[in-house]
Amino acid sequence: MPSDIFGTEALRDSVLASWRGSPTRFREDANAEEDLRLGGYRDRLLVELAQNASDAAGGEPGVLRLSVVDGELRAANTGVPLDAAGVTALASLRASTKNSGTIGQFGVGFAAVLAVTDAPRVVSTSGAVAFSAERTRAAVPESAESRGGDVPVLRLVWPSDETDVPEGFATEVRLPLKVDGAALLAEFADQAGDLLLALPGLRRIEVADAVWTREEADDDVVVLHGPDGSTRWILHRVSGELPASLVAGVETRPQWSICWAWPSDGVLTDEVLHAPTPTDERLSLPARLLATLPVEPSRRRVQPGLAVDAVLAEAAAHYPALVAKLPAVQRTALVPLPGFPLSEVDGVLRDGVLKALRTAEWLPLASGEWASPAKAKVLDAGSEELVELLEDVIPGLLDAELTLPEHAKALAALEVRRLTMRDVVDALAGLSGDPDWWRRLYAELDPIAEVDSTAREELGGLPVPLADGRTVTSPRGVLLLEADQETLDLLAGVDVSGLRIAHPDAAHRLLTRLGAVEAGPVELLDSEAIREAVHRSADEVDAGMDGHDLVRAVLRLVDRSGMRAGDRPWLAELVLPDASGDWRRADELVLPDSTLLDVLEPDAPIGVLDAKVAEAWPRSVLTAIGVIDGFTVVVDDDPTEPDHDLADEGYWWAASPEPPTRVVGIRDLDLVSRDAWPAALKMLAADPVTWRAVQEPDGYTGWWLSQYATLDGVPLCDWRLPTAESLAGLYDVVPDVGLPEHVLIAVGVRTELDVRGDDDVKDLLRRLGDPDREPADALVFTAHAALAEVAHLLDSGGITPPDRVRVLTGEAVPADDVVVLDQPWLLGVLPPAGVLAADGGADALAELLALPLASEEVVGVPTTEGDAVSWHELGAVRLACELLGVDLPVGSVVVHDELRVGVDGVEHEVVWWLADDVVHAVDTPEGLARALAWVSDRWADRHTFAALITDPTPVTLLG
């Protein structure tokens, strides 16, 4: 019989007495232990064994050894041996011997052993005890049977005579296993390192042959060594005492302690709150929290209440102190990133931690000082050099390392203000400084602007130091000079307000990305300042200022740029001295030796350029700014209105059916002397540029020349070529002035009848009504057809009906008694001297000439009888149609031996007629042919029908 040094018999008797006195108490104890075994402590075996080992260690950190021997899990620990109070606690579900200086509230954690055994033993240097489900069932068989053999194991304790505690250890828990021992040790190995960090009362845990140790490197660092290496933990510890009002009912002691821990060698995953051993309260924080928090009996969850709230608030408030112990560039690793809280505790901690971090000064500034996130600023993009350049410009600017992408999410969670390039520009506003500093700043901003279109736009207001000492607020329009010294000297002598030239020491390609211009001669000319100076040159000369310096500077730039005439039309505004000493626009001056002077009117409003200026500069330079050396061509590929300073341009636009889409015109044609046109036309033809303008299809120049240029005082469009004999009688032959035919054609001398607009119609009507002209009948007929074709395009109010018209007899007669033939059969009763005709378009022609239609004036009815004959019965007609491939008309024709028609009481003999949609014809080839042609809509074939009806043979058709 083992010695009962711990008084286990009395404990058993007490328990058995309570069970006998109250069967309900047995069930309560059985249920309570079952709850702990299946619920609260089901997977906390190592945690509880380690907790007990830590509590037993005393003043010196202890050692916990875990091994499997003969099917038993053995957990040996150093420290204080087992005593009677400890045995009492082991056998109680509702008591604890842990004093206020140790961790934990209830002594029920030992129930965790029931997850792997039903016969645990505790062997200590002071004695040993044992628990057994089997012996408990034997002690209370009836009660055990009532529960199917399920009894509370840890209520009845027996003495044990075991004394073989491993050397160096004070106590060993021995658990005959119901589970796989190797798998259990593997689980313990996964938890060993975390438990050493959570339980400072332990310095070493051994699991089989593997060893984990805890090394206190200094006050803030713990190094955990294990089989897979070492992990360095940075710690921040703090402790305090809860107010008495928060302690009652939840804790037996007022003290609290907090330890924040961060593994500098790794990242935490699947983290939980440690109180101080692991709970089931999941956390998403980057650091581990080990705190003395009130927990539920199962030690899985915190016990909600004011005490928990107070300790969590303290933990959050001290979190920045842990962060501050890290190297500056690593600190953002401890910022909780946005996400859903993993538990209620996690949500409280995240909110509190972020609030504390935002107001604490722990972020490194570029200046070497520290700032809170609430007052800090970080560049959205940057480099170490850029931050260094801006640290004195932007207060609170964070270290360059924090501009890297890996810090972005953390800084966003802290609501650190991110500075865009627009913010940087705003900070630089009004700043002056060494041009070299600006160049270095531009060099750092350039890579950002190169890849980021938004940044380029925001940098548009970047200040730029100028060569004259000023600083402007945008690179746009600033010039980066690439000019020779002579040009620079000339510019220095010219007062050009608005000319913004960057300081040479500040020049950088970034400025060109942002709108500055690398200014060679062309770019200088195109600058707003030079353009404005040219524009104002006339006003400044009128105000008494000397314009020679500006002239020399502009001409120098034009010379160096290689510009040609027309490249910069605005240069024509530059005023130059003329031969009389006055100042005039460049495009109002002619070179002294220009051949153009030979063809202009003596009083033409064009001056002659000062001879000294003409001699000082190449001809190409002077013509490039608009000085006249010949006829000047104006080109506009996108015209909107007639505003090109071309003579009579508005009339040309009005005469065009559609607004012109391109203007190519020659200026000053209206200044040519009337008797100099032969020479002027030769000049135009000799110059390829002006000749192309003359030949432009439907162009202004050809139109103007045809209308206004004259030979012998007559406009060119009023002449015809000698070879254009079809126009004889209406137009006269152009005089021989030594111009080739292709030139005469191009400038408007006629080769054919061409009627396009109002002016052409008026001229043609005048010519047709001129009694002194004798045009051929065919020409008259063609002219009337042309008039009818364009009548609908004319300005109805712009054409005055003529007093005289050309009739079928070829005469020009008064228009009073003339009609326009619209129905051909009416010609049989009308006098030719009173009829005007065209091939179609009778209505339009009558309206144009304000003449009545013949059908409106003549109403005739056949007065002779005829026979209605089907067209199919007329053999000659049928054969003629077959030869021509024409379908015979449907219906019949009224055939007369003699056909008379009564008109206004007068009878007229005709060959055919149409009355009330009935066609009448004399029984002759001519009468039948006209009737057949009309009803078959082949009026143009009437003469062919007549010939074939006379002789319906292929010989007639083909002969």
Side-chain angles (χ1 to χ4, degrees):
M1 173 74 71
S3 175
D4 189 8
I5 60 175
F6 296 126
T8 61
E9 183 177 1
L11 293 175
R12 290 196 307 278
D13 290 344
S14 175
V15 172
L16 288 171
S18 68
W19 286 353
R20 293 189 192 101
S22 175
T24 301
R25 183 62 181 270
F26 174 83
R27 289 195 299 272
E28 289 177 350
D29 286 349
N31 290 337
E33 187 175 284
E34 184 179 40
D35 289 343
L36 293 174
R37 172 168 52 84
L38 299 179
Y41 288 90
R42 67 184 183 279
D43 54 2
R44 295 179 55 86
L45 176 58
L46 178 59
V47 172
E48 294 304 326
L49 292 174
Q51 179 71 71
N52 290 335
S54 176
D55 291 343
E60 292 293 328
V63 178
L64 172 64
R65 174 188 292 172
L66 299 160
S67 59
V68 174
V69 178
D70 297 332
E72 289 186 344
L73 173 66
R74 297 190 176 183
N77 62 267
T78 60
V80 179
L82 182 67
D83 59 13
V87 172
T88 300
L90 287 173
S92 174
L93 293 175
R94 300 174 178 84
S96 174
T97 64
K98 297 179 180 179
N99 59 39
S100 61
T102 59
I103 299 171
Q105 178 181 1
F106 303 104
V108 295
F110 191 68
V113 302
L114 299 179
V116 297
T117 187
D118 60 4
R121 308 189 309 281
V122 180
V123 181
S124 182
T125 56
S126 58
V129 295
F131 298 90
S132 170
E134 183 179 355
R135 294 174 73 176
T136 300
R137 283 192 288 270
V140 287
E142 294 179 359
S143 297
E145 185 178 357
S146 68
R147 290 184 57 87
D150 185 12
V151 295
V153 176
L154 300 180
R155 293 293 280 135
L156 298 182
V157 58
W158 285 270
S160 172
D161 57 2
E162 294 177 282
T163 59
D164 55 338
V165 178
E167 184 177 354
F169 291 87
T171 302
E172 184 175 65
V173 177
R174 298 178 178 179
L175 308 175
L177 292 175
K178 299 185 296 183
V179 298
D180 181 31
L184 191 61
L185 291 179
E187 292 179 12
F188 290 172
D190 291 338
Q191 304 173 46
D194 287 345
L195 287 171
L196 271 181
L197 181 66
L199 299 171
L202 291 179
R203 64 177 177 82
R204 179 183 177 96
I205 295 179
E206 302 173 8
V207 180
D209 296 331
V211 177
W212 287 262
T213 62
R214 172 191 177 101
E215 175 189 355
E216 297 281 349
D218 55 44
D219 289 343
D220 297 327
V221 177
V222 166
V223 180
L224 299 181
H225 303 284
D228 296 329
S230 301
T231 302
R232 181 182 177 88
W233 290 79
I234 296 177
L235 309 180
H236 178 71
R237 299 184 180 94
V238 64
S239 61
E241 186 169 307
L242 291 171
S245 61
L246 302 183
V247 175
V250 295
E251 281 286 354
T252 61
R253 63 192 185 283
Q255 293 81 14
W256 56 263
S257 65
I258 291 169
C259 177
W260 283 108
W262 180 68
S264 59
D265 303 330
V267 178
L268 293 177
T269 57
D270 299 326
E271 188 60 16
V272 296
L273 174 67
H274 289 64
T277 52
T279 68
D280 285 352
E281 300 285 2
R282 298 179 63 200
L283 299 182
S284 60
L285 297 171
R288 176 170 295 172
L289 175 60
L290 303 99
T292 55
L293 288 163
V295 293
E296 295 176 348
S298 68
R299 304 191 59 80
R300 291 182 173 277
R301 301 287 181 184
V302 299
Q303 184 170 309
L306 296 177
V308 167
D309 295 343
V311 175
L312 291 180
E314 292 288 347
H318 287 87
Y319 191 84
L322 171 70
V323 176
K325 294 180 179 181
L326 272 64
V329 298
Q330 289 183 288
R331 294 181 176 183
T332 58
L334 287 183
V335 177
L337 298 181
F340 292 107
L342 302 182
S343 66
E344 184 175 352
V345 172
D346 189 38
V348 171
L349 279 174
R350 286 173 59 87
D351 292 344
V353 164
L354 283 172
K355 181 178 179 181
L357 286 175
R358 287 171 184 145
T359 55
E361 294 184 349
W362 58 275
L363 283 174
L365 297 180
S367 62
E369 299 174 337
W370 304 95
S372 67
K375 296 181 179 180
K377 306 176 185 72
V378 64
L379 290 180
D380 202 24
S383 63
E384 184 174 349
E385 292 79 5
L386 178 59
V387 171
E388 181 181 345
L389 288 165
L390 294 175
E391 65 178 72
D392 294 331
V393 178
I394 303 175
L397 187 62
L398 292 180
D399 187 86
E401 182 73 21
L402 296 181
T403 65
L404 297 177
E406 53 262 36
H407 302 285
K409 290 183 178 180
L411 295 180
L414 295 169
E415 300 177 355
V416 173
R417 181 185 173 192
R418 299 196 70 84
L419 298 181
T420 65
M421 290 299 103
R422 189 182 304 281
D423 296 322
V424 173
V425 168
D426 291 343
L428 293 169
L431 189 67
S432 58
D434 179 23
D436 182 66
W437 181 88
W438 285 102
R439 182 190 57 76
R440 288 186 290 122
L441 177 64
Y442 300 153
E444 296 306 317
L445 293 173
D446 185 50
I448 301 171
E450 182 178 10
V451 300
D452 188 340
S453 60
T454 300
R456 281 198 301 277
E457 181 179 350
E458 294 176 342
L459 288 170
L462 191 65
V464 181
L466 301 183
D468 60 9
R470 294 179 297 145
T471 300
V472 294
T473 58
S474 172
R476 191 171 302 281
V478 172
L479 304 179
L480 307 178
L481 281 186
E482 294 179 358
D484 57 85
Q485 191 59 47
E486 183 178 353
T487 302
L488 294 176
D489 292 343
L490 280 172
L491 289 171
V494 179
D495 182 16
V496 181
S497 62
L499 188 62
R500 304 192 302 171
I501 299 176
H503 194 290
D505 293 341
H508 191 275
R509 66 181 180 183
L510 170 68
L511 299 178
T512 61
R513 295 188 197 277
L514 304 179
V517 179
E518 293 181 346
V522 172
E523 290 76 20
L524 278 171
L525 274 175
D526 287 339
S527 68
E528 289 295 327
I530 294 293
R531 293 186 65 158
E532 181 61 22
V534 169
H535 178 68
R536 295 196 321 267
S537 61
D539 293 338
E540 294 188 353
V541 168
D542 289 343
M545 300 179 66
D546 185 4
H548 287 90
D549 287 342
L550 179 61
V551 168
R552 283 193 293 269
V554 172
L555 290 176
R556 173 70 177 179
L557 292 174
V558 172
D559 185 25
R560 299 292 293 174
S561 69
M563 285 188 180
R564 297 178 297 179
D567 285 351
R568 299 293 186 277
W570 54 268
L571 285 170
E573 296 184 78
L574 181 67
V575 294
L576 304 170
D578 67 7
S580 64
D582 293 330
W583 291 80
R584 305 184 67 162
R585 285 172 51 115
D587 59 356
E588 295 176 354
L589 293 170
V590 182
L591 291 175
D593 59 349
S594 173
T595 56
L596 185 63
L597 292 171
D598 297 334
V599 300
L600 296 181
E601 293 279 4
D603 58 351
I606 294 181
V608 178
L609 180 65
D610 179 76
K612 291 182 179 180
V613 177
E615 293 171 1
W617 296 96
R619 199 179 200 91
S620 60
V621 172
L622 295 170
T623 57
I625 67 169
V627 177
I628 301 170
D629 187 22
F631 287 106
T632 302
V633 177
V634 176
V635 179
D636 184 351
D637 289 321
D638 189 21
T640 57
E641 56 183 320
D643 58 354
H644 302 87
D645 197 22
L646 299 172
D648 306 300
E649 185 184 4
Y651 294 121
W652 171 62
W653 277 66
S656 301
E658 298 291 338
T661 58
R662 187 168 187 258
V663 173
V664 180
I666 297 177
R667 282 182 43 199
D668 303 325
L669 292 175
D670 56 328
L671 302 181
V672 174
S673 176
R674 290 177 64 83
D675 59 0
W677 273 112
L681 292 174
K682 290 177 182 177
M683 288 176 60
L684 293 173
D687 182 353
V689 177
T690 57
W691 181 239
R692 283 195 293 272
V694 171
Q695 291 185 302
E696 179 79 7
D698 298 323
Y700 160 83
T701 304
W703 170 85
W704 194 94
L705 290 173
S706 70
Q707 299 293 318
Y708 299 103
T710 62
L711 293 176
D712 288 350
V714 177
L716 296 177
C717 64
D718 288 348
W719 298 107
R720 68 173 175 86
L721 291 179
T723 55
E725 295 180 357
S726 62
L727 300 180
L730 281 183
Y731 298 94
D732 299 325
V733 176
V734 64
D736 186 1
V737 291
L739 291 171
E741 186 175 276
H742 73 278
V743 173
L744 294 172
I745 294 172
V747 298
V749 176
R750 295 182 181 271
T751 60
E752 60 184 4
L753 189 63
D754 187 14
V755 182
R756 298 191 181 186
D758 290 14
D759 291 340
D760 289 340
V761 169
K762 293 175 185 177
D763 177 67
L764 184 55
L765 290 176
R766 178 180 58 79
R767 292 174 181 276
L768 288 170
D770 184 355
D772 294 332
R773 293 191 174 276
E774 298 181 358
D777 292 340
L779 178 57
V780 173
F781 202 63
T782 300
H784 285 157
L787 290 171
E789 185 176 353
V790 300
H792 69 285
L793 301 174
L794 305 176
D795 180 359
S796 59
I799 305 296
T800 301
D803 295 330
R804 304 181 73 87
V805 295
R806 191 73 58 168
V807 294
L808 293 180
T809 61
E811 301 173 280
V813 302
D816 298 338
D817 298 323
V818 176
V819 297
V820 177
L821 184 65
D822 58 327
Q823 296 176 346
W825 59 88
L826 300 179
L827 191 58
V829 300
L830 293 172
V835 178
L836 181 150
D839 188 8
D843 290 345
L845 190 59
E847 184 176 356
L848 173 66
L849 302 178
L851 296 176
L853 292 169
S855 62
E856 297 171 346
E857 299 292 318
V858 177
V859 178
V861 180
T863 59
T864 58
E865 295 294 332
D867 297 321
V869 180
S870 170
W871 288 106
H872 289 270
E873 297 178 15
L874 300 172
V877 169
R878 187 175 62 255
L879 292 174
C881 288
E882 291 174 354
L883 287 169
L884 283 177
V886 177
D887 294 335
L888 273 170
V890 177
S892 61
V893 58
V894 180
V895 180
H896 297 256
D897 292 331
E898 182 182 19
L899 178 59
R900 290 183 177 274
V901 175
V903 179
D904 295 333
V906 180
E907 287 194 348
H908 300 269
E909 186 174 352
V910 298
V911 297
W912 77 293
W913 195 260
L914 188 69
D916 298 329
D917 295 328
V918 178
V919 64
H920 300 259
V922 178
D923 190 11
T924 63
E926 291 77 11
L928 291 173
R930 282 163 171 75
L932 176 62
W934 184 259
V935 297
S936 60
D937 199 21
R938 298 288 292 265
W939 183 247
D941 293 327
R942 60 192 179 278
H943 301 297
T944 303
F945 277 130
L948 289 174
I949 291 172
T950 302
D951 183 15
T953 64
V955 174
T956 301
L957 178 63
L958 301 174

